[in-house]
Amino acid sequence: MNIGAKRIAILLTFVLLPGIAFTKESRSVPFEKEKQTAEASIEAHQTDLIQLSDEIWGYAETALREKKSSKALADYAEKQGFKVERGVAGMPTAFVATFGEGKPIIGILGEYDALPGISQTASAVKEPLVAGAPGHGCGHNLFGAASLGAAIGIKEMIQAGKLKGTIRFYGTPAEEAIGGKTYMAREGLFNDLDVCLAWHPATEISSDTDSSQAIVDLIVEFKGKAAHAAFDPWDGRSALDGLEIFTHALNMMREHVKPTVRMHYVIQKGGDVPNVVPEYARLWCWLRDSKRTGVDELLERVEKMAEGAGLAAGVEAKVTVQGGSYEMLVNFAGQRILYKNLQWLGPMKFTEEEQQFAKQIQKATNVSPKGLNTEIKPFNEHPGEPQGGSTDVGDVSWIVPTIHLSVTTAPADAPWHAWPVVACGGMSIGHKGLVYASKALVATMVDLYLDPENREKLRKEFEASANGTVYKGYIPDGPPPVPED
Ligand SMILES: [Zn+2]
């Protein structure tokens, strides 16, 4: 290149750069006009959605007790013209809200249960709103309201004749306890969906290609024979001995399982007083691995272990599976569509006050005061093993192609299931996450309604990765354990 040409090249660069910077190309997506309409609909409802979220944040009802929370969402859906079926799958706080008719049928999941004991005001210092009361430490108040918002966005487009099909919002209770979705799955409530979407409050924005862990939840009981522990202990058989042999064996097994396995338990009953040979002992245990097949293997080993422990102690052993979940079956085709829409929406915007609020929480919880993550996490084509943690969205993902989103609603690295999440979920940081999630979900649904090829891609990948697996949840026969009060 001679000097003359170089000069021209430099000149061109200067001329072209502002042009590139101002072009809208980087934000362009398919069906942009329709997405703008959907975005405007979220904005039109955002005051109501935030109010709904704050209301549910205030109720802070725990698993299967979410009466006021589910009513607030179901009533709003009904007011918007959805047909609402309440109390589905034997759970008074589960509901399905439907609008439109015919195919495609797209579902969107909403949760609203809180966690016990972590009540907190919407402030940057640890300060319970009601000492000892529950709080929304997983941000499910935002989860339910944002998903309903996205469903309303689609409903308005169906109503206006801009797209065809059915939108269904699933009010799914008790994610934190029994996994309400597994009971809804058992009833076949997700079977006719073409695609399902879900999101979760988080400390970052991402189109999630990470899976979650599969889990089984079980109770191990031992029944022995009581006797005076000093006068005639030879007449007794200790249920606690059985339990101790069992936990010893379980803990020895840790050396002989894959590093992806997690096993944790609590002893719920181990006898009453030292001078009575314990007649009854009970342990609650969760087994997890990256895949359901791994958990099935663990369960088989643990069942034998309980039997062996019972034999050794001369007591009866019983293992009862209470529930569990599959790992997330990630659908990359769906996640790519979502990712494009995140790029179209762009990073989140927080004010200086909001960043300061986040930093104050980070200092209080001894994590680096980096503030809030506003950027979209790069798409991860090759995720490794999932981090610890499970969700009942995993079950849905084995029935229908499922897309999963995470959105910033709390400070980076802040402890989860803890007061910082409650605090941010009740103020503008969480509210912004709610609106952002709603927009990302509605834009993604526009792609799914308007382009049948997108749905086809998701379905093909789903069939290839499920590889003929027929969904069968872990929950036992019988109704869900709904509390009486
Ligand atoms: Zn959660």
Side-chain angles (χ1 to χ4, degrees):
M1 187 189 281
N2 66 38
I3 291 171
K6 215 177 195 171
R7 260 196 206 138
I8 292 168
I10 290 167
L11 194 67
L12 275 176
T13 311
F14 278 103
V15 171
L16 288 175
L17 267 180
I20 292 165
F22 286 105
T23 180
K24 280 199 100 186
E25 262 167 23
S26 59
R27 252 179 75 92
S28 99
V29 276
F31 312 115
E32 187 159 26
K33 248 184 73 192
E34 289 83 353
K35 286 175 189 174
Q36 280 161 350
T37 308
E39 208 180 354
S41 149
I42 305 293
E43 278 161 15
H45 288 280
Q46 79 179 39
T47 311
D48 285 0
L49 297 173
I50 289 170
Q51 215 168 50
L52 264 175
S53 169
D54 283 351
E55 195 182 326
I56 294 166
W57 183 88
Y59 296 146
E61 295 166 304
T62 54
L64 295 176
R65 292 192 161 87
E66 322 93 327
K67 287 179 195 154
K68 289 184 259 178
S69 309
S70 66
K71 187 179 184 306
L73 290 169
D75 285 354
Y76 192 71
E78 212 161 55
K79 213 175 90 190
Q80 295 297 315
F82 282 76
K83 190 180 128 271
V84 178
E85 200 188 333
R86 300 173 198 239
V88 297
M91 294 174 288
T93 53
F95 69 95
V96 180
T98 309
F99 189 89
E101 52 183 21
K103 284 274 194 180
I105 312 173
I106 295 182
I108 184 157
L109 308 174
E111 296 173 5
Y112 32 80
D113 58 327
L115 287 155
I118 48 170
S119 170
Q120 164 70 28
T121 59
S123 67
V125 287
K126 188 169 188 247
E127 173 189 59
L129 188 65
V130 183
H136 269 289
C138 206
H140 293 179
N141 57 309
L142 305 166
F143 189 161
S147 294
L148 182 56
I152 291 168
I154 293 299
K155 178 228 108 181
E156 290 185 346
M157 292 183 76
I158 295 176
Q159 221 166 10
K162 291 199 167 82
L163 41 93
K164 279 200 184 84
T166 307
I167 177 75
R168 211 180 273 156
F169 172 84
Y170 289 87
T172 67
E175 192 275 335
E176 301 288 3
I178 59 152
K181 294 174 202 74
T182 60
Y183 287 88
M184 295 168 89
R186 187 176 68 182
E187 298 286 304
L189 297 184
F190 305 108
N191 289 358
D192 60 347
L193 290 181
D194 289 280
V195 185
C196 193
L197 292 93
W199 79 287
H200 203 288
T203 57
E204 61 186 14
I205 312 167
S206 99
S207 171
D208 300 318
T209 55
D210 290 335
S211 182
S212 56
Q213 287 185 306
I215 181 172
V216 66
D217 171 329
L218 48 117
I219 296 288
V220 186
E221 292 166 291
F222 295 94
K223 274 182 198 152
K225 201 174 143 212
H228 192 294
F231 181 72
D232 65 338
W234 46 86
D235 286 327
R237 295 291 180 268
S238 168
L240 181 62
D241 287 353
L243 187 145
E244 285 189 71
I245 296 166
F246 173 78
T247 57
H248 188 60
L250 187 81
N251 290 321
M252 293 193 97
M253 188 171 77
R254 290 186 197 278
E255 198 183 343
H256 310 289
V257 293
K258 298 225 174 91
T260 49
V261 168
R262 300 281 185 281
M263 301 184 283
H264 24 263
Y265 59 82
V266 290
I267 295 170
Q268 293 187 306
K269 181 89 187 163
D272 295 312
V273 284
N275 75 344
V276 175
V277 172
E279 197 173 21
Y280 178 74
R282 176 183 158 113
L283 172 133
W284 184 15
C285 178
W286 290 1
L287 308 169
R288 309 191 206 221
D289 200 353
S290 308
K291 300 214 177 311
R292 160 83 190 242
T293 44
V295 173
D296 285 342
E297 267 173 44
L298 276 178
L299 180 59
E300 235 183 273
R301 288 168 80 179
V302 162
E303 276 169 340
K304 282 187 190 143
M305 213 171 264
E307 201 187 312
L311 281 174
V315 299
E316 249 179 74
K318 188 179 165 202
V319 175
T320 311
V321 171
Q322 302 199 108
S325 275
Y326 277 73
E327 76 278 16
M328 273 293 288
L329 186 64
V330 176
N331 193 295
F332 284 82
Q335 297 303 143
R336 278 187 207 107
I337 298 172
L338 168 62
Y339 186 65
K340 275 190 198 140
N341 287 304
L342 290 177
Q343 286 180 309
W344 174 69
L345 279 175
M348 287 179 75
K349 291 180 192 77
F350 289 106
T351 62
E352 190 44 42
E353 289 80 46
E354 286 160 346
Q355 287 290 4
Q356 284 309 326
F357 187 94
K359 286 176 188 167
Q360 208 184 323
I361 287 181
Q362 284 161 330
K363 283 180 202 148
T365 52
N366 291 320
V367 297
S368 161
K370 302 189 258 197
L372 296 150
N373 278 324
T374 57
E375 297 298 319
I376 298 148
K377 207 175 150 191
F379 194 80
N380 187 358
E381 287 282 354
H382 305 286
E385 296 291 347
Q387 275 202 327
S390 311
T391 166
D392 58 3
V393 181
D395 285 64
V396 180
S397 75
W398 284 84
I399 300 167
V400 47
T402 301
I403 301 177
H404 199 276
L405 161 74
S406 291
V407 171
T408 301
T409 65
D413 307 322
W416 207 258
H417 279 197
W419 70 267
V421 181
V422 191
C424 294
M427 49 81 75
S428 62
I429 294 173
H431 299 160
K432 282 188 178 171
L434 180 168
V435 173
Y436 188 93
S438 226
K439 287 181 178 178
L441 292 165
V442 83
T444 304
M445 286 197 278
V446 167
D447 281 314
L448 295 165
Y449 276 101
L450 291 180
D451 189 350
E453 266 181 40
N454 280 332
R455 301 197 297 273
E456 194 52 41
K457 267 189 240 164
L458 265 71
R459 178 59 59 179
K460 269 195 184 144
E461 184 182 326
F462 171 79
E463 271 159 18
S465 35
N467 197 19
T469 305
V470 178
Y471 172 78
K472 171 92 182 67
Y474 272 123
I475 47 169
D477 296 337
V482 179
E484 306 240 317
D485 53 336

